[in-house]
């Protein structure tokens, strides 16, 4: 007791202690430059800790450095919503009850909005959902170019044009990262079909690579400042793209100065030495096909785990590459998991539903509207609307591969139409056709029972009988998210609509003049009945608010303003990848490799159609409105442009109709005389303008030499050849309203 008192007395008499600040290691000090923190952390790590950091420890996480308090890194799919939690090392969902998300529209829809502000809204919204769920890396967005309408994964990408995809991916990336979550731009690169995705070796010339397939990735890296990028499954120059020396070392990290981490696609790494040398930084999902096989993985046996450790320990390989990989992963962690001011995010907020609905509203494309059948007129008395088709009911957020979601709610087209019709119309339903009645992905089920045992004739007869009594017939069909539709790991069998839908549509067209076809898909489909159907709407996969977004447009609460981000060809043979006989490639003798030569070169999408003069079903950039826009004269502030200068090209656009609307004004450039082949024209600018009835706005595009140039593969540089150029301004690639000719000096 005496002793205690003595100590207490001494303490009271002592000089008051100055609080000694706890020594914070430099790597934990956010006020220091990130590179200093990275070097500090790296200098403290053991070889084993470094190795542990560059490969998975579970399906979706890597280990961090527990001893140093450097946290784990958690990834999630992406790109349309936050994937439900799966077991530690199995694909099946873990059965959480609080991991339902908002599904945002698929990226094709986002691209169809032609509105970078909407891409920013998408990025911040999904970033907040990822943040709330404690994720550090969002596996998306995808910007592989739409080369063939058969690609099962086109719905996850942003269309066929490198300029459009570039303008749309940058704000998405910035938005996600603003919320403290890294975007992981995928699948870098040349992963333009799903069939043979692990064995296809793409062959293409450098001009095509640089002009068509790289720009969106480059923009995401250099302008969006993406913190991570995902390698693709397939091969280029006989090396898998997850350890491809040219694509990762030379172009991405060399030419573009990418300082983030290259993440493998799940199961995309195949070789330790190549992964060490060729720029792979963070290995995930080995021994799986990314979707199903290999439910249990021995993480220590990953290519960048023990095999790498042993090579370093035995002195067979040095540590330069290892340190570079660790630096990149540390940077990624400091920017995300260890960013102290990143906020908490939010999940399933009404703001996120509103964002999803707005993205859908802006991306829906009115393809055809003869006789102004749309919007549905409800002013002159109560109407009878017949809805036909499986896709009016089917939940589309479950399925499709790794982008499959577990949503808190999903409004079907039928429910959206019923809600909008309340008080003004009676809605009836007929099935029309039976397509795919399943609804399960990795243990997430839709809970819908879509079974119907009736045959095609019976279903059509029912629909036709009901259609005869209706004021409007709305057929909702298209594709879905099951294999060989719009789905990962398989391609479509053809351009045609599946399940006999053409026959249903033909029968409905004969029964009722006010037929509206709503096509749900991420891909172009053939429409042999196009002339018989007065109104056609391209409605993509629209996520949680699908039905509301569609009903907004059908009932005219929203004036459609989307434009196609890809060409709809009449027939498959009209597409360059198919016309040239290139797709799906040729199997190499005595090997699994399928060589796929991109024979159409730079003539992808509308570049092919325009240059070869092949009329599409619906052109790139096409999309109608409920109002009319008139374009004034296209003018410019100069007729000549200096080699380092620019010119401004302007056009006044007026809303001459009676409702407010938005028009996407598009600028295409042509180089009619050039020493190399140039496409007929190429998109180099666009702006979405919102106009009230009678209102005029002048849209101005600043054109710089880079918009005039082609990639000279021999010189390995962009070249703009002096001479005359044509600027074409229009409402679609096949609807040019005016041109202006100018000279590059
Ligand atoms: C897909 C990726 C996805 C990954 C993780 C792979 O099958 O190709 O896009 O991010 O799985 O689910």
């Amino acid at each position: 007791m005496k002793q205690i008192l003595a100590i207490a007395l001494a303490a009271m008499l002592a000089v008051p202690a100055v609080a000694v600040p706890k020594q914070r290691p430099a790597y934990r000090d956010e006020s220091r430059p990130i590179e200093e923190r990275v070097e500090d952390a790296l200098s403290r790590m053991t070889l084993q800790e470094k190795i542990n950091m560059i490969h998975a420890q579970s399906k979706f996480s890597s280990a961090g450095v527990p001893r140093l308090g450097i946290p784990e890194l958690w990834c999630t799919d992406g790109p349309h919503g936050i994937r439900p939690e799966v077991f530690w090392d199995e694909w099946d969902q873990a059965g959480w009850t609080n991991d339902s998300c908002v599904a945002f529209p698929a990226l094709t829809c986002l691209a169809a909005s032609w509105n970078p502000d909407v891409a920013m809204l998408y990025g911040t919204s999904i970033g907040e959902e990822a943040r709330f769920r404690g994720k550090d890396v969002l596996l998306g967005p995808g910007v592989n170019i739409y080369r063939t309408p058969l690609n099962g994964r086109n719905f996850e990408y942003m269309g066929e044009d490198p300029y459009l995809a570039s303008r749309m991916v940058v704000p998405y990336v910035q938005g996600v990262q603003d919320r403290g979550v890294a975007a992981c731009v995928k699948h870098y690169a040349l992963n333009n079909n799903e069939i043979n995705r692990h064995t296809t070796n793409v062959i293409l010339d450098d001009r095509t690579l640089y002009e068509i397939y790289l720009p969106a990735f480059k923009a995401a890296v250099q302008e969006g400042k993406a913190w991570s990028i995902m390698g693709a499954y397939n091969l280029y120059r006989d090396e898998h793209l997850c350890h491809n020396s040219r694509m990762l070392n030379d172009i991405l990290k060399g030419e573009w100065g990418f300082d983030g981490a290259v993440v493998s696609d799940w199961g995309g790494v195949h070789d330790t030495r190549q992964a060490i040398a060729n720029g792979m930084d963070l290995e995930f999902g080995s021994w799986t096909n990314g979707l199903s096989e290999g439910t249990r993985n021995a993480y220590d046996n990953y290519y960048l785990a023990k095999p790498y450790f042993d090579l370093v320990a035995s002195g067979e390989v040095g540590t330069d590459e290892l340190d570079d990989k660790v630096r990149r992963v540390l940077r990624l962690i400091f920017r995300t998991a260890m960013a102290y001011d990143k906020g908490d995010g939010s999940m399933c907020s009404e703001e996120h539903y509103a964002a999803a609905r707005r993205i859908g509203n802006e991306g829906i494309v009115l393809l055809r509207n003869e006789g102004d059948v749309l919007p549905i007129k409800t002013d002159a008395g109560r109407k009878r609307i017949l809805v036909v088709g499986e896709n009016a009911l089917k939940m589309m957020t479950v399925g499709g591969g790794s982008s499959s979601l577990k949503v808190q709610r999903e409004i079907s087209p039928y429910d959206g139409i019923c809600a909008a019709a309340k008080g003004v119309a009676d809605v009836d339903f007929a099935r029309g056709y039976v397509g795919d009645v399943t609804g399960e992905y990795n243990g997430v089920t839709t809970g819908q029972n879509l079974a119907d045992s009736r045959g095609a004739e019976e279903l059509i007869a029912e629909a036709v009988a009901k259609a005869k009594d209706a004021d409007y017939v709305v057929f909702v069909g298209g594709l879905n998210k099951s294999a060989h539709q719009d789905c990962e790991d398989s391609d479509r069998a053809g351009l045609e609509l599946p399940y006999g839908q053409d026959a249903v549509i033909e029968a409905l067209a004969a029964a009722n003049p006010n037929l509206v076809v709503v096509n749900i898909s991420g891909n172009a489909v053939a429409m042999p009945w196009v002339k018989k159907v007065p109104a056609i709407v391209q409605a993509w996969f629209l996520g949680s608010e699908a039905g509301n977004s569609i009903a907004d447009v059908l009932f005219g609460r929203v004036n459609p303003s989307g434009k196609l981000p890809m060409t709809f060809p009449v027939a498959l043979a009209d597409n360059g990848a198919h016309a040239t006989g290139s797709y799906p490639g040729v199997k190499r003798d005595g090997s699994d490799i399928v060589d796929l030569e991109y024979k159409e070169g730079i003539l992808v999408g509308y570049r092919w159609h325009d240059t070869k003069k092949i009329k599409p079903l619906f052109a790139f950039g096409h999309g109608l409105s409920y109002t009319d826009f008139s374009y004034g004269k296209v003018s410019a502030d100069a007729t000549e442009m200096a080699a380092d200068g620019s010119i401004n090209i302007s056009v006044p656009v007026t809303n001459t109709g009676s409702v407010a609307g938005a028009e996407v004004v598009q600028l295409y450039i042509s180089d009619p005389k050039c020493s190399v082949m140039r496409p007929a024209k190429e998109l180099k600018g666009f702006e979405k303008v919102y106009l009230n009835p009678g209102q005029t706005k002048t849209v101005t595009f600043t054109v710089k030499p880079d918009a005039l140039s082609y990639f000279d593969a021999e010189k390995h540089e962009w070249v703009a050849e002096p001479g005359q150029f044509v600027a074409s301004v229009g409402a679609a690639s096949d609807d040019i309203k005016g041109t202006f000719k100018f000279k590059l000096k």
Side-chain angles (χ1 to χ4, degrees):
M1 188 62 180
K2 249 191 207 165
Q3 216 177 0
I4 294 173
L5 282 176
I7 292 170
L9 194 65
M12 278 160 69
L13 294 176
V15 186
V18 180
V20 180
K22 225 172 145 193
Q23 195 65 43
R24 250 198 189 185
Y27 70 90
R28 298 194 69 90
D29 182 353
E30 263 218 305
S31 66
R32 292 175 193 255
I34 198 160
E35 293 312 310
E36 194 186 319
R37 297 173 62 201
V38 165
E39 291 311 318
D40 180 57
L42 186 72
S43 71
R44 296 167 191 263
M45 291 170 68
T46 65
L47 172 62
Q48 188 63 60
E49 283 170 337
K50 290 179 182 179
I51 294 284
N52 288 353
M53 182 170 246
I54 59 167
H55 62 84
Q57 60 163 359
S58 75
K59 273 275 180 262
F60 283 100
S61 71
S62 66
V65 193
R67 182 179 61 87
L68 298 179
I70 295 176
E72 298 171 332
L73 188 77
W74 278 89
C75 307
T76 179
D77 285 301
H80 305 141
I82 308 308
R83 184 176 177 150
E85 297 299 324
V86 300
F87 287 120
W88 187 256
D89 48 17
E90 287 173 35
W91 286 112
D92 266 348
Q93 67 147 341
W96 288 22
T97 51
N98 57 353
D99 58 348
S100 303
C101 68
V102 172
F104 297 93
L107 294 190
T108 28
C109 172
L110 175 63
S113 76
W114 293 59
N115 186 345
D117 293 343
V118 165
M120 175 62 83
L121 175 69
Y122 199 129
T124 53
S125 305
I126 196 170
E128 283 162 9
E129 298 242 332
R131 183 70 265 128
F132 186 80
R133 283 266 302 282
K135 305 303 180 193
D136 308 305
V137 181
L138 177 76
L139 304 174
V143 283
N144 294 90
I145 289 293
Y146 185 113
R147 175 175 180 254
T148 156
L150 301 192
N151 179 16
R153 268 189 118 168
N154 277 338
F155 72 101
E156 290 185 67
Y157 303 142
M158 299 201 198
E160 72 186 25
D161 183 75
Y163 181 81
L164 175 63
S166 299
R167 291 310 99 218
M168 298 304 287
V169 71
V170 169
Y172 181 117
V173 169
Q174 290 169 333
V176 170
Q177 296 191 165
D178 185 64
R179 299 308 196 251
V181 176
C184 185
V185 186
K186 67 192 190 184
H187 306 89
Y188 179 73
L190 302 174
N191 182 186
N192 307 97
N193 52 251
E194 286 296 284
I195 185 171
N196 307 318
R197 68 175 178 170
H198 295 274
T199 51
T200 292
N201 178 52
V202 171
I203 300 167
L204 82 175
D205 57 75
D206 263 13
R207 186 174 170 203
T208 304
L209 178 67
Y210 277 78
E211 288 190 18
I212 304 293
Y213 295 98
L214 293 183
F217 288 103
K218 184 181 180 193
V221 166
Q222 291 196 326
E223 296 174 58
K225 306 256 180 272
W227 293 331
S228 63
I229 200 164
M230 184 190 289
Y233 276 136
N234 54 302
L235 301 93
Y236 163 66
R237 294 192 172 179
D238 279 355
E239 273 176 6
H240 280 97
L241 283 152
C242 283
H243 30 77
N244 189 288
S245 70
R246 178 158 201 237
M247 292 292 267
L248 300 179
N249 286 343
D250 300 349
I251 298 176
L252 176 68
K253 295 178 179 176
E255 292 176 22
W256 302 348
F258 176 67
D259 73 352
V262 177
V263 175
S264 78
D265 199 346
W266 268 234
V269 175
H270 301 273
D271 185 277
T272 297
R273 284 178 187 270
Q274 281 193 27
I276 294 170
N278 295 350
M280 168 47 51
D281 300 318
L282 186 48
E283 178 189 3
F284 276 100
S286 292
W287 299 290
T288 86
N289 69 356
L291 293 172
S292 50
E293 296 158 23
T295 50
R296 292 204 183 263
N297 304 316
Y299 298 100
D300 284 348
N301 292 323
Y302 271 39
Y303 295 95
L304 291 184
K306 194 167 178 306
Y308 194 4
F309 183 96
D310 291 347
L311 285 174
V312 175
S314 67
E316 277 186 75
V317 302
T319 52
D320 287 357
E321 295 92 348
L322 177 61
D323 285 348
D324 180 62
K325 294 176 202 305
V326 173
R327 282 190 182 97
R328 290 170 183 276
V329 177
L330 282 169
R331 244 175 244 136
L332 185 57
I333 293 180
F334 290 156
R335 285 166 167 164
T336 58
M338 274 176 87
Y340 299 111
D341 63 351
K342 60 189 182 241
D344 297 328
S346 58
M347 190 100 194
C348 295
S349 66
E350 283 311 314
E351 286 78 9
H352 291 173
Y353 283 109
R357 187 166 178 169
R358 163 141 191 242
I359 299 160
N361 286 158
E362 291 230 12
I364 290 174
V365 182
L366 180 61
L367 292 175
R368 184 175 154 87
N369 196 19
E370 287 303 297
D372 289 340
V373 165
L374 287 176
I376 290 172
K377 319 253 170 341
T378 51
D379 39 0
R382 203 174 173 84
K383 294 288 186 304
R384 288 157 304 166
I385 300 172
L386 174 68
V387 177
V388 184
E390 182 171 288
N391 283 357
L393 307 179
K394 191 171 171 65
M395 272 181 78
M396 292 294 186
T397 52
V398 177
S402 56
S403 63
S404 182
L405 297 170
K406 179 167 121 189
V407 289
Q408 191 196 44
R409 70 175 193 239
E410 177 176 344
I411 312 288
S412 71
Y414 177 75
D415 285 344
I417 290 169
C418 287
K422 212 166 181 199
V424 293
D426 298 314
V427 184
D428 196 2
F429 179 76
R431 180 64 176 266
Y433 68 94
V434 177
D436 171 58
V437 299
T438 62
E440 195 268 342
Y441 187 80
N442 278 174
V444 178
T445 53
T446 62
Q448 289 187 305
N449 180 2
L450 294 174
D452 195 318
S453 57
R454 291 174 292 171
E457 258 174 50
E458 203 181 334
L459 291 169
I460 292 179
E462 179 202 38
V464 165
K466 288 185 175 187
K468 284 185 177 150
D469 288 335
D471 296 303
Y472 289 94
V473 178
V474 180
F475 174 84
V476 188
L479 308 178
N480 56 46
K481 298 280 193 68
S482 57
H484 302 291
Q485 303 283 316
D486 281 322
C487 184
E488 184 176 338
D489 207 19
S490 63
D491 280 353
R492 297 165 66 199
L495 191 63
E496 300 72 33
L497 282 176
Y499 319 123
Q501 291 177 73
D502 287 342
V504 187
I505 295 170
E506 296 266 2
L508 291 173
N512 191 307
N514 287 337
L515 173 62
V516 180
V517 168
V518 178
N519 183 57
I520 309 283
S521 73
N523 260 314
V525 301
M527 299 184 182
W529 32 260
V530 65
K531 292 267 160 58
K532 299 177 195 159
V533 176
I536 305 174
V537 174
Q538 177 59 32
W540 318 113
F541 297 104
L542 297 177
S544 286
E545 288 288 308
N548 287 334
S549 295
I550 290 170
D552 286 343
V553 166
L554 295 182
F555 285 82
R557 293 188 298 219
V558 162
N559 190 351
S561 61
K563 301 270 188 175
L564 289 180
M566 80 285 269
T567 308
F568 274 47
V570 173
L572 198 56
D574 293 351
N575 166 287
H578 297 273
T580 55
S582 148
Y583 174 93
V586 181
K587 199 173 161 307
R588 226 183 258 178
D589 276 348
S591 145
D592 288 344
I593 301 291
V594 175
D595 284 310
L596 172 53
E597 189 182 346
Y598 286 7
K599 293 184 183 159
E600 74 287 5
I602 55 171
L603 298 182
V604 172
Y606 68 92
R607 287 168 168 79
W608 175 267
H609 281 261
D610 286 359
T611 310
K612 303 283 180 191
K613 301 195 166 53
I614 301 168
K615 228 174 131 21
L617 175 65
F618 293 110
F620 173 80
H622 169 78
L624 305 173
S625 165
Y626 294 150
T627 189
D628 294 312
F629 299 102
S630 83
Y631 285 63
K633 198 168 162 16
V634 178
S635 64
D637 61 355
T639 52
E640 283 194 346
M641 182 163 133
D644 56 353
S646 64
I647 71 169
N648 292 315
I649 297 189
S650 301
V651 65
V653 182
T654 307
N655 181 347
T656 56
S658 54
V659 288
E663 169 71 321
V664 178
V665 184
Q666 301 161 37
L667 170 77
Y668 296 86
I669 298 285
S670 323
D671 185 359
K673 258 200 207 140
C674 183
S675 60
V676 298
M677 187 274 289
R678 304 290 306 258
K681 62 181 184 296
E682 298 181 273
L683 183 76
K684 295 295 171 182
F686 62 87
E687 194 178 324
K688 195 168 201 174
V689 277
Y690 295 81
L691 295 167
N692 285 319
Q695 193 183 2
T696 300
K697 276 187 195 165
T698 295
V699 175
T700 299
F701 300 105
T702 300
V703 179
K704 294 186 184 156
D706 62 352
L708 314 180
S709 50
Y710 65 91
F711 188 77
D712 184 327
E714 244 163 64
K715 290 191 194 145
H716 200 74
E717 65 186 30
W718 292 88
V719 174
E721 260 179 24
Q724 197 178 67
F725 288 83
V726 184
S728 303
V729 176
S733 65
D734 68 344
D735 186 12
I736 298 305
K737 306 289 189 183
T739 58
F740 186 87
K741 292 189 177 127
F742 62 94
K743 261 204 184 118
L744 174 70
K745 284 202 265 192

